[in-house]
Amino acid sequence: MKYIISIIKPHRLEEVRTALSAIGVEGMTVSEVKGHGRQKGHSEIYRGAEYEVSYLPKIKIELALEDKLAAKAVDTITEAGRTGQIGDGKIFVLNLDSAVRIRTGESGDEAL
């Protein structure tokens, strides 16, 4: 099993969700987060005063998937989340040792 964490731009969430659903991904966890990387934020003017915005809004999507679906999910997130601009985000893939569905006690791939 794989645990996939992706950070994307907020306006790309619906495209990514739709694309993942189309390949058979049934569940995901979505969080609103803030961060910066090479993008380094930007300057904004509010009521005549300029200030630096260091942390930009992002969306964090977390998925636990069977090994056979993980590579396809990464490709799907990459394609659906890409705008071609700096700050498109990152995808991290980790090995997942176990998963347990609380309601039924199922474990492993059956829990997903």
Side-chain angles (χ1 to χ4, degrees), residues 7-12 35-41 56-59 81-90:
I7 308 295
I8 62 171
K9 290 184 174 183
H11 69 276
R12 300 303 297 174
H36 77 86
R38 292 183 181 156
Q39 203 171 3
K40 304 269 194 277
L56 301 175
K58 301 288 181 177
I59 295 292
R82 179 181 294 139
T83 66
Q85 303 295 317
I86 191 167
D88 272 352
K90 296 246 184 340

Side-chain angles (χ1 to χ4, degrees), residues 22-90:
I23 64 165
V25 174
E26 295 177 350
M28 66 182 73
T29 300
V30 177
S31 307
E32 293 180 8
V33 296
K34 291 185 179 189
H36 77 86
R38 292 183 181 156
Q39 203 171 3
K40 304 269 194 277
H42 62 277
S43 297
E44 288 189 5
I45 297 176
Y46 179 72
R47 293 189 178 184
E50 185 174 348
Y51 65 98
E52 192 70 23
V53 177
S54 298
Y55 297 102
L56 301 175
K58 301 288 181 177
I59 295 292
K60 178 176 165 182
I61 301 172
E62 298 172 88
L63 308 166
L65 300 172
E66 299 173 358
D67 288 328
K68 63 183 178 182
L69 188 55
K72 191 169 186 176
V74 169
D75 292 341
T76 300
I77 295 167
T78 301
E79 290 301 315
R82 179 181 294 139
T83 66
Q85 303 295 317
I86 191 167
D88 272 352
K90 296 246 184 340

